[in-house]
């Protein structure tokens, strides 16, 4: 109907200025350590063949069974908006034959992901992640490096009130041994139909059940950690050793199984203290059978996904990001036509020198322009009129202190 307002779909996260500056800062802080460790960007579609996720992420998971945005496209194909990034990376690696090139393949990605969850603080239907994947290397040192990259990202934001939960979900031999005893144990429980069905696909899922009665029932369940094969145990010991060397502390959490079915071996989650129910700010682990499951070679892999939205909430809760980071260096207020021309040129030069410069356009009177200067939050302000142009000097005003200094226009860059 004409004139009626349209609202965003329920549960999506959106960022408007000035908060979008914080979002961008957080995203860049999370990506930067990956770039510095030699990871390259992989840019992938946000929709994929549905089967990629049912096979890759696992039919017993909430993500696949309840939360996918799946639709039939005009060519009668079943399409799903990506609920996570790892399966898509594997699909692309296989499709483009990267697995036949130099190993490991190290990539990062960042973008929107979609899960039809019940919206609440920190849980959205469209949300944002920064992720990395390192494929084709079974060395425990890369497990520690991947964890260290996530840790460095969170610390670059300024976060300190978080912990790292760590476990090993073992190799197939470990899991097969554990599964026998776990199924025996589960058979003694009185499960409803849906839970029993989930358990029959992946009994580990029951460790992830948030219901109080299920948590109590699972308290005595056998733990995978006690069934690790010698190889898995040795790998995990090495990971812990490297984390100690890096000074990254962790809490062993043998009941952690994560929400996606592909994990094997080293598995981890970063949990923030101030975020309440949705406290997982990032997580990841090894997925040694995934590539093969999706029709590729038998290559191991490890990676993480960090929640940008939750990292923003965590930064706000800790109060660690100063608005000072996002203000412009200089606001130029031109008075008159000639000044406007000069302002355009001066600003272009300073921007080329990496300064953030705004011009107050709009032929306002000086008084109105000064009000705008106060509001803009710029660090410095100059007024540019005919006399300034004639003399080649401006009064550079520092907005915080009110202090002014006469500065040559062509040496503004040195003063900023
Ligand atoms: P995930 O644990 O499902 O892992 O998601 C990673 C992070 O994304 C979570 O820790 C959380 O911060 C954020 N997140 C997840 N769902 C939501 C939501 N509905 N709203 C807001 N934030 C959310 C993965 O997605 C794996 N692909 C990570 C990975 C990569 N494992 C290996 N490689």
């Amino acid at each position: 109907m004409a004139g009626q307002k349209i609202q965003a779909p329920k549960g999506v996260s959106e960022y408007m200025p000035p908060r979008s500056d914080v979002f961008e800062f957080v995203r860049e802080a999370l990506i930067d350590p990956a770039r510095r460790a030699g990871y390259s960007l992989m840019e992938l579609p946000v929709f994929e063949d549905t089967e990629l996720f049912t096979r890759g992420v696992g039919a017993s998971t909430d993500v696949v069974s309840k939360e996918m945005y799946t639709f039939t496209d005009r060519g009668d194909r079943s399409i799903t908006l990506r609920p996570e990034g790892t399966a898509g990376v594997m699909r692309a690696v296989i499709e483009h034959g990267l697995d036949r090139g130099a190993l490991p393949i190290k990539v990062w990605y960042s973008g929107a992901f979609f899960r039809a969850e019940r919206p609440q603080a920190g849980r959205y239907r469209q949300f944002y992640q920064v992720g990395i994947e390192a494929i084709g290397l079974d060395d425990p040192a890369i497990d520690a490096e991947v964890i260290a990259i996530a840790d460095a990202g969170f610390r670059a934001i300024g976060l300190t009130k978080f912990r790292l939960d760590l476990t090993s979900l073992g190799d197939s031999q470990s899991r097969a041994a554990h599964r026998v005893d776990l199924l025996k144990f589960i058979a003694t429980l009185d499960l409803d139909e849906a839970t029993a069905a989930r358990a029959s696909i992946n009994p580990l899922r029951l460790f992830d059940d948030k219901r109080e009665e299920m948590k109590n029932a699972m308290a005595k369940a056998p733990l995978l950690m006690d069934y690790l094969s010698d190889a898995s145990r040795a790998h995990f010991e090495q990971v812990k050793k490297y984390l100690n060397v890096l000074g990254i502390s962790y809490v062993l959490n043998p009941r952690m199984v994560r929400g996606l079915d592909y994990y094997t071996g080293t598995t981890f989650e970063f949990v923030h203290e101030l975020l309440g129910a949705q406290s997982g700010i990032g997580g990841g682990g090894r997925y040694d059978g995934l590539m093969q499951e999706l029709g590729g070679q038998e290559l191991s892999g490890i990676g993480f996904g960090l929640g940008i939205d939750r990292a923003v909430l965590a930064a706000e809760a800790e109060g660690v990001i100063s608005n000072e980071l996002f203000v412009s260096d200089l606001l130029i207020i031109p008075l008159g036509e000639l000044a406007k021309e000069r302002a355009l040129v001066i600003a272009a030069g300073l921007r080329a020198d990496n300064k953030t410069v705004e011009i107050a356009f709009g032929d306002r009177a000086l008084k109105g322009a000064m009000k705008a200067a106060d509001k803009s939050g710029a660090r410095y302000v100059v007024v540019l009129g005919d006399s300034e142009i004639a003399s080649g000097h401006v009064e550079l005003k520092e907005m915080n202190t009110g202090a002014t200094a006469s500065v040559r226009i062509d040496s503004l860059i040195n003063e900023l």
Side-chain angles (χ1 to χ4, degrees):
M1 212 192 301
Q4 234 177 35
K5 285 184 196 156
I6 299 170
Q7 291 184 330
K10 193 175 167 208
V12 300
S13 66
E14 298 186 292
Y15 295 89
M16 303 297 122
R19 197 165 177 251
S20 48
D21 289 330
V22 177
F23 177 88
E24 188 192 12
F25 173 83
V26 166
R27 181 184 59 200
E28 290 306 305
L30 295 178
I31 293 170
D32 188 57
R35 284 201 194 101
R36 288 177 194 279
Y39 286 70
S40 300
L41 173 66
M42 192 177 265
E43 195 66 82
L44 294 174
V46 298
F47 57 91
E48 297 267 6
D49 192 328
T50 300
E51 198 189 337
L52 175 65
F53 303 115
T54 45
R55 253 208 278 156
V57 175
S60 74
T61 62
D62 279 359
V63 169
V64 167
S65 64
K66 302 186 196 154
E67 299 171 355
M68 293 210 297
Y69 281 101
T70 298
F71 59 96
T72 308
D73 76 358
R74 285 161 209 265
D76 235 10
R77 288 165 289 246
S78 180
I79 294 291
T80 294
L81 299 184
R82 61 181 183 188
E84 62 95 50
T86 312
V89 170
M90 293 307 121
R91 193 268 307 144
V93 163
I94 298 166
E95 187 169 342
H96 298 278
L98 303 186
D99 50 337
R100 291 191 294 273
L103 298 177
I105 303 149
K106 299 196 296 182
V107 296
W108 66 268
Y109 50 87
S110 170
F113 295 85
F114 307 86
R115 296 181 192 176
E117 303 199 73
R118 200 164 46 75
Q120 64 179 86
R123 187 162 74 186
Y124 310 108
R125 293 181 168 177
Q126 171 168 338
F127 59 97
Y128 296 88
Q129 278 188 8
V130 167
I132 73 172
E133 313 294 345
I135 301 149
L137 193 65
D138 207 11
D139 189 331
I142 202 159
D143 299 21
E145 187 182 61
V146 163
I147 291 171
I149 289 169
D151 183 76
F154 290 134
R155 299 212 181 268
I157 296 166
L159 300 180
T160 55
K161 299 194 160 106
F162 64 88
R163 65 163 202 272
L164 166 64
D165 277 7
L166 184 71
T167 193
S168 170
L169 296 178
D171 52 14
S172 48
Q173 188 193 334
S174 321
R175 274 202 310 285
H178 174 243
R179 190 184 163 99
V180 174
D181 284 359
L182 182 58
L183 285 175
K184 269 190 218 152
F185 173 82
I186 288 175
T188 68
L189 303 179
D190 185 19
L191 299 180
D192 60 83
E193 217 173 294
T195 311
R198 215 176 312 137
S200 73
I201 309 175
N202 180 0
L204 286 176
R205 282 265 72 81
L206 298 200
F207 283 105
D208 215 17
D209 202 307
K210 300 287 184 292
R211 292 171 298 179
E212 211 47 51
E213 69 271 21
M214 277 306 294
K215 280 198 209 163
N216 291 337
M218 290 299 285
K220 290 211 173 76
L223 296 174
L224 183 41
M225 192 65 104
D226 299 325
Y227 291 76
L228 293 187
S229 65
D230 289 346
S232 285
R233 187 171 303 283
H235 184 104
F236 194 50
E237 288 307 316
Q238 286 294 97
V239 174
K240 290 189 284 184
K241 187 188 89 180
Y242 294 127
L243 288 175
N244 290 337
V245 168
L246 281 162
I248 294 176
S249 50
Y250 52 82
V251 180
L252 287 180
N253 180 357
R255 313 187 79 84
M256 173 171 65
V257 294
R258 312 237 327 113
L260 314 162
D261 267 356
Y262 48 62
Y263 290 108
T264 62
T266 313
T267 304
F268 56 92
E269 230 162 54
F270 288 88
V271 182
H272 197 270
E273 282 168 30
L274 306 180
L275 289 190
Q278 303 305 316
S279 57
I281 52 175
R286 282 206 159 267
Y287 40 83
D288 287 350
L290 179 58
M291 187 91 148
Q292 218 177 9
E293 177 67 36
L294 294 174
Q297 302 186 50
E298 196 184 339
L299 289 183
S300 59
I302 180 164
F304 63 58
L306 312 181
I308 307 177
D309 313 271
R310 290 189 193 168
V312 167
L313 292 170
E316 288 168 345
E318 287 198 43
V320 287
I321 300 181
S322 150
N323 288 334
E324 282 286 295
L325 280 174
F326 312 117
V327 302
S328 296
D329 297 309
L330 177 67
L331 176 75
I332 305 175
I333 303 174
L335 301 178
E337 183 52 32
L338 178 62
K340 206 193 277 183
E341 259 175 42
R342 290 298 309 273
L344 283 165
V345 175
I346 295 167
L350 292 171
R351 288 170 192 156
D353 262 328
N354 266 329
K355 296 294 167 199
T356 309
V357 182
E358 294 181 74
I359 306 174
F361 292 117
D363 303 314
R364 269 172 292 205
L366 179 59
K367 201 165 149 217
M370 283 313 287
K371 260 196 199 144
D374 281 335
K375 269 208 197 131
S376 92
R379 253 183 278 276
Y380 291 95
V381 173
V382 298
V383 174
L384 194 65
D386 292 338
S387 60
E388 283 82 8
I389 293 170
S391 70
H393 281 75
V394 285
E395 287 285 301
L396 183 65
K397 181 172 180 190
E398 187 177 1
M399 296 307 281
N400 258 349
T401 60
T404 59
S406 175
V407 172
R408 281 173 55 88
I409 293 175
D410 40 17
S411 59
L412 266 173
I413 186 66
N414 305 325
E415 305 298 326
L416 291 178

